[in-house]
Amino acid sequence: MFGKKKRSDSMSAAQIKALDKKELLHVIMRDPETYKEIRLGGHGAINIISGELQIVCGGVTVFACPVSEVKAGELMSHNGIVFKGNDRMSGEFRTVTAFYAIKLG
């Protein structure tokens, strides 16, 4: 009766692909042991290359995961996005938060 509408866990592949070339202010992740935020880089972009989502900051790829495997959700403030997936760069499952350089309308 008063149940909440179940929302999708993640953005669709098409929605993720639409973020291609989106400029980023900075990218962070939370250390799973200390729970402190770690800044992975700044002044970057989201790139979709050959079906893979790549986050590049300062010319260095800080996160890479196939679009078909990554989970993504926009922040409630609409000023960034959270990506979860097996990172090709580190070989580990990671959660990263990327903040947009310009807020989406």
Side-chain angles (χ1 to χ4, degrees):
M1 186 166 134
F2 294 105
K4 293 182 181 179
K5 181 180 176 184
K6 191 170 184 173
R7 68 182 185 108
S8 174
D9 216 20
S10 180
M11 297 170 77
S12 70
Q15 290 172 313
I16 294 170
K17 288 178 182 176
L19 295 170
D20 190 28
K21 308 289 185 260
K22 182 73 182 159
E23 288 186 55
L24 301 174
L25 183 61
H26 61 273
V27 181
I28 62 168
M29 69 172 274
R30 190 170 303 278
D31 185 312
E33 294 178 14
T34 64
Y35 300 106
K36 291 184 179 181
E37 288 184 354
I38 300 169
R39 188 171 193 262
L40 299 177
H43 305 290
I46 297 170
N47 295 320
I48 308 294
I49 301 171
S50 300
E52 183 177 68
L53 173 116
Q54 296 181 1
I55 299 177
V56 179
C57 295
V60 176
T61 302
V62 297
F63 181 79
C65 183
V67 172
S68 61
E69 296 176 18
V70 72
K71 300 284 185 198
E74 195 165 50
L75 300 176
M76 289 178 69
S77 62
H78 299 287
N79 69 340
I81 190 164
V82 176
F83 294 105
K84 295 180 182 184
N86 290 315
D87 180 24
R88 179 177 55 81
M89 305 311 294
S90 68
E92 299 175 355
F93 184 87
R94 290 172 63 180
T95 301
V96 298
T97 304
F99 293 90
Y100 302 135
I102 300 171
K103 184 178 176 182
L104 291 177

